Amino acid sequence: MSQDSRLRVVCLAGPSDAGKTSLVERLVPRLAADGRVATVKSIHHDIEIDTPGTDTHRHRSAGAETVVGVTPELTFDITARGKRNPPEPTVDEPLLETDDPELRALSRTLERLADRGYDTVIVEGFADASVPTILVGDRGPEAVGGSVIGRGDDPIDDLLESIRSLEGHTVPAGGGRTDESAD
């Protein structure tokens, strides 16, 4: 990045089937009008996202830590280090200060998205993350790690204004980060 940028991060937290993904689908197109949007989804069970026998799967099986696939329409990367064995932060001040491997994996993912120039990241799940949070369903504020900035049943325009007003995390051009998230 050529200059300092800001990464707004908001978490959607609630029980299964409470409507988190539906809310993501409503927020993303509206936030995309403001800049680049990424999403991060916490998945609680292992899944195979790469078809066994394909070249990318064979690269990964051979031991590549990260495999990048480039198709005519999509680019994707698969990194072998998930929640159980996340990579260490690559900066002196990670976005999320934590010893929890799951939150370290989220922090490292947010660092990569910031380095790629995203403006807003919506995190579905990771309720313990210390980032601004929208509660969906019957989850109470005591069940999340971040400050509550709205509820899933609030009017969409109110939720968008809450997200847009976040100060975000400063991402200096030379690497390293300082957490300046709004509370």
Side-chain angles (χ1 to χ4, degrees), residues 98-165:
T98 182
D99 291 330
D100 181 281
E102 188 169 314
L103 293 179
R104 270 198 347 260
L106 174 60
S107 182
R108 184 64 185 106
T109 299
L110 293 174
E111 289 171 13
R112 285 195 324 270
L113 293 171
D115 287 343
R116 293 176 183 171
Y118 286 90
D119 300 297
T120 304
V121 178
I122 299 175
V123 177
E124 183 179 334
F126 293 99
D128 292 334
S130 59
V131 297
T133 302
I134 296 172
L135 296 175
V136 181
D138 61 3
R139 181 144 305 164
E142 70 284 347
V144 298
S147 60
V148 176
I149 63 166
R151 295 201 63 91
D153 55 3
D154 289 347
I156 192 75
D157 287 332
D158 292 352
L159 294 174
L160 288 164
E161 180 56 34
S162 293
I163 295 168
R164 288 174 175 140
S165 69

Side-chain angles (χ1 to χ4, degrees), residues 28 37 43 49 57-58 74 81 87-88 90 96 99 113-114 117 122 126 135 139 142 153-154 157 161 170 176:
V28 167
V37 178
I43 301 173
I49 58 172
H57 188 269
R58 290 171 62 192
L74 300 171
R81 304 186 84 175
E88 291 299 320
T90 59
L96 302 174
D99 291 330
L113 293 171
I122 299 175
F126 293 99
L135 296 175
R139 181 144 305 164
E142 70 284 347
D153 55 3
D154 289 347
D157 287 332
E161 180 56 34
T170 301

Side-chain angles (χ1 to χ4, degrees), residues 52-67:
T54 61
D55 290 348
T56 53
H57 188 269
R58 290 171 62 192
H59 294 187
R60 192 163 47 98
S61 296
E65 183 175 322
T66 297
V67 175

